[in-house]
DNA sequence: TGTACATCAGTGAACGCGCGTTCACTGATGTAC
DNA sequence: TGTACATCAGTGAACGCGCGTTCACTGATGTAC
């Protein structure tokens, strides 16, 4: 019989996964050491291996968790063009740009993930597939192939626009990247909607 | 008077910058140690600091060099829609996806660059500004603001589509991401051209 | 023409440091009697 | 009700290793005489 409640260890594991998500998005995966990750969760480095088999194991769990949250947020949007347009505006906002730790995992980590091992990329594949589907069903349910293509277009414009806005040191250029991203995403969105009407 | 020709050291420096570009794009910046970088250039680690003040100094030089090459390649395209469409097809090809070391630096390194220090991001800012301008002048010279927005849209679709195609472990999905990317990029391209006619 | 010297790109061992991982131990708790 | 024990989440020091960086040294070369 466990001394702590049955959920105690599960809760700690969840806390590690959540705080690690923030840390990874802020400092990168390579840039976040186990000691720092555990300190974020108010623990010491030694406890890590009671919860995860390795750092890669944590990374795979964090990636899955991050994309699941993003999917859930999308799933809670009301149907229709307006909600998606709002989402695009929030995504490409200065607030999101300036706070990577609370933001989109793909914008912060996508090309680092592409250099990770199989299990991490499998977790990413599953998560991003669900997100693209979630976007696609909100576009034109009658033309799934076309909707899938448009969903990918929206996703890629958002992700790389945010990455670019973050990389650039010229504030005015950065703001312009965000505005252009919104404009282009809305163009693609409307293209998808018009085609759905045909 | 130097024992070696006056260009000897300059040539070595260039060789380091070029091989480091390939290594960074393959293994990431954090993932590439000085010893490996120097071995790539047929040198030993100790010689590094005769050429660069620090690893960050090398990174800034590599970023500038990589983006300059990409800009030069764009500048050599003949004018008109067809050449740009070809470029898009080449960019989002399986060959480019499967060989990051010879490919686009933004697709391989953009979110790692956004976590780098000022000089590296300054170099990226200058380089990417020139690339966006180069694309924009090929769209609709009469409407520079619109062309700039469309150029950013093309750039971001290309970059994130390639990142996504590389990250995903499902080959069919990866191919689909490339195809959708081409489709969406061409849609945006034609939108830019039509608007230019109005 | 031949020898001694100055130059300096490159060598390779070493530095302190933080990484991912391991492990003997702690100490608060629930249970047994 | 009170005491002894078993449990196990978490501690913190230690491991080998590779990192970025430093530095005393090498050795091939061009020049001086």
């Amino acid at each position: 019989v466990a001394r702590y409640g049955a959920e105690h260890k599960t809760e700690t594991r969840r806390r590690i996964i959540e705080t690690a998500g923030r840390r990874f998005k802020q400092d990168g995966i390579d840039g976040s050491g186990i000691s720092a990750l555990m300190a974020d969760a108010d623990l010491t480095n030694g406890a890590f291996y009671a919860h995860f088999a390795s750092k890669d194991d944590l990374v795979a769990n964090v990636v899955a968790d991050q994309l699941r949250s993003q999917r859930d947020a999308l799933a809670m949007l009301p149907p229709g063009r307006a909600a998606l347009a709002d989402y695009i505006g929030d995504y490409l906002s200065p607030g999101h740009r300036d706070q990577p730790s609370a933001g989109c995992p793909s914008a912060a980590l996508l090309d680092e993930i592409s250099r990770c091992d199989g299990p991490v990329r499998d977790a990413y594949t599953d998560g991003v597939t669900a997100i693209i589907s979630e976007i696609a069903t909100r576009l034109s349910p009658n033309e799934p192939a076309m909707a899938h293509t448009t969903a990918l277009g929206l996703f890629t414009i958002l992700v790389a626009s945010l990455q670019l806005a973050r990389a650039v040191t010229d504030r005015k250029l950065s703001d312009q990247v965000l505005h252009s991203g919104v404009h282009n995403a809305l163009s693609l969105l409307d293209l998808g909607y018009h085609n759905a009407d045909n």
Side-chain angles (χ1 to χ4, degrees), chain A:
Chain A
V1 183
R3 296 157 301 117
Y4 302 94
E7 325 90 33
H8 178 94
K9 199 176 177 185
T10 309
E11 251 175 53
T12 302
R13 184 186 156 95
R14 269 226 66 73
R15 198 168 73 247
I16 297 169
I17 290 175
E18 276 165 17
T19 56
R22 274 181 245 133
R23 171 69 69 163
F24 284 156
K25 290 188 288 184
Q26 175 122 312
D27 297 337
I29 296 170
D30 272 10
S32 305
I34 302 290
S35 294
L37 292 167
M38 293 303 276
D40 286 348
D42 293 319
L43 293 165
T44 55
N45 57 347
F48 181 81
Y49 293 88
H51 294 279
F52 303 97
S54 64
K55 188 182 180 184
D56 276 336
D57 180 25
L58 170 67
V59 173
N61 277 282
V62 167
V63 165
D65 180 65
Q66 289 286 320
L67 296 194
R68 200 181 307 119
S69 295
Q70 198 169 29
R71 198 263 287 257
D72 290 349
L74 280 164
M76 281 202 266
L77 291 181
R81 180 191 177 285
L84 261 184
D86 284 353
Y87 186 88
I88 289 166
D90 289 345
Y91 188 103
L92 294 178
S93 66
H96 191 187
R97 174 193 59 198
D98 298 336
Q99 213 159 11
S101 67
C104 173
S106 296
L109 301 172
L110 184 45
D111 54 48
E112 206 169 355
I113 287 170
S114 70
R115 285 186 291 268
C116 285
D117 65 356
V120 171
R121 291 166 61 224
D122 285 342
Y124 185 80
T125 304
D126 290 348
V128 82
T129 299
I131 286 173
I132 298 299
S133 293
E134 187 62 46
I135 299 172
T137 55
R138 284 156 188 285
L139 295 172
S140 43
N142 309 335
E143 300 189 59
M146 174 65 191
H148 199 262
T149 291
T150 302
L152 280 169
L154 290 174
F155 183 79
T156 53
I157 287 180
L158 295 192
V159 167
S161 292
L162 198 58
Q163 290 179 353
L164 187 55
R166 282 172 178 165
V168 139
T169 50
D170 179 331
R171 185 59 170 262
K172 277 172 74 176
L173 176 57
S174 177
D175 288 344
Q176 196 179 14
V177 168
L178 294 181
H179 286 124
S180 293
V182 170
H183 179 93
N184 287 314
L186 292 179
S187 293
L188 221 54
L189 179 63
D190 289 336
L191 220 59
Y193 269 95
H194 293 158
N195 284 347
D197 296 343
N198 292 349

